[in-house]
Amino acid sequence: MQPALVPARVAAWLAASVCWIWLGCTIQPKIPITVDSRVDSLLQSEAIGILKVSEDHDKLSRYQFWLSEFPRDDILGMSVGDGRIYISYKLAALALYDRDHLWLLRHTVAHEIAHETAAHATRERVTRLNRGATAGVSAGDIGLPWYVRVLNYSTEQELEADRKGVHYWKLIGWDCRIWVTILEDFQKQGYTG
């Protein structure tokens, strides 16, 4: 009697299961990042300045900031929880040479830090509310595979992040009218980011 042959599909599934269970392998998609030391230095400097006035001023090491070339140009930043924040490489690179883009970078970083300090990515209630959401950012928009599901923040969370971000600006001593001008410009352009 010959042993039964295991179909290739089943063998692959078994191998993956063994890896997952025995070796503790994880399959976690990561947003693609860009490495540019000059631009990264600016991002880190701005982020640390904002973090120092935030509620997490004593948790600086918890935060990680990365540059990403998002496929969609209107995505300026994204906080994904656990202190992980991705910022548009294009925006940060322009901020090196242009004061308006520097203020937009500061706005974006403060807003994303505010999402983190408010724990928006980990609020269970919000996750349930967004389960059926179809509008907003998709996995492809941020450089992830199609099968990854992205849960967008609610309007209330976005407004809370803006309120907290403006508060950080005030604590630093920056002109908060610039923040308002940025939001007015977004509105004029129909920006929904």
Side-chain angles (χ1 to χ4, degrees):
M1 211 178 201
Q2 292 186 356
L5 296 176
V6 178
R9 255 189 326 217
V10 174
W13 179 83
L14 286 172
S17 297
V18 167
C19 176
W20 183 267
I21 294 166
W22 286 349
L23 302 177
C25 296
T26 60
I27 300 172
Q28 183 178 17
K30 294 189 179 177
I31 296 172
I33 61 170
T34 300
V35 178
D36 182 326
S37 60
R38 289 186 60 225
V39 177
D40 187 59
S41 179
L42 173 66
L43 171 60
Q44 301 301 324
S45 173
E46 294 297 331
I48 289 170
I50 295 165
L51 276 170
K52 284 182 178 179
V53 300
S54 78
E55 302 88 334
D56 283 352
H57 60 87
D58 58 341
K59 301 174 186 163
L60 298 179
S61 63
R62 173 183 174 259
Y63 282 82
Q64 298 173 330
F65 295 87
W66 291 289
L67 297 165
S68 184
E69 291 190 57
F70 299 118
R72 226 174 81 185
D73 285 339
D74 64 334
I75 298 174
L76 303 177
M78 175 172 284
S79 100
V80 297
D82 295 325
R84 296 170 295 163
I85 296 175
Y86 295 84
I87 299 295
S88 164
Y89 171 72
K90 183 177 179 179
L91 169 61
L94 289 169
L96 278 174
Y97 306 102
D98 180 74
R99 189 135 183 92
D100 290 340
H101 283 94
L102 177 60
W103 285 113
L104 182 55
L105 174 67
R106 289 172 171 168
H107 166 275
T108 303
V109 172
H111 178 91
E112 299 306 334
I113 288 172
H115 277 305
E116 288 295 317
T117 60
H120 287 162
T122 58
R123 287 189 184 167
E124 191 60 34
R125 175 183 61 81
V126 173
T127 302
R128 282 196 299 274
L129 286 175
N130 283 325
R131 285 192 196 266
T134 56
V137 175
S138 71
D141 293 335
I142 56 175
L144 292 174
W146 63 269
Y147 55 82
V148 175
R149 187 161 181 219
V150 176
L151 299 174
N152 294 280
Y153 292 134
S154 68
T155 302
E156 292 79 19
Q157 289 173 310
E158 293 296 345
L159 291 173
E160 182 182 9
D162 277 341
R163 281 191 300 273
K164 288 171 71 84
V166 167
H167 180 68
Y168 301 153
W169 273 37
K170 184 179 178 184
L171 291 173
I172 292 171
W174 291 339
D175 184 352
C176 295
R177 291 174 296 185
I178 294 170
W179 188 292
V180 174
T181 302
I182 290 170
L183 293 181
E184 289 172 344
D185 287 345
F186 285 166
Q187 188 176 25
K188 286 177 194 171
Q189 297 172 30
Y191 176 71
T192 60

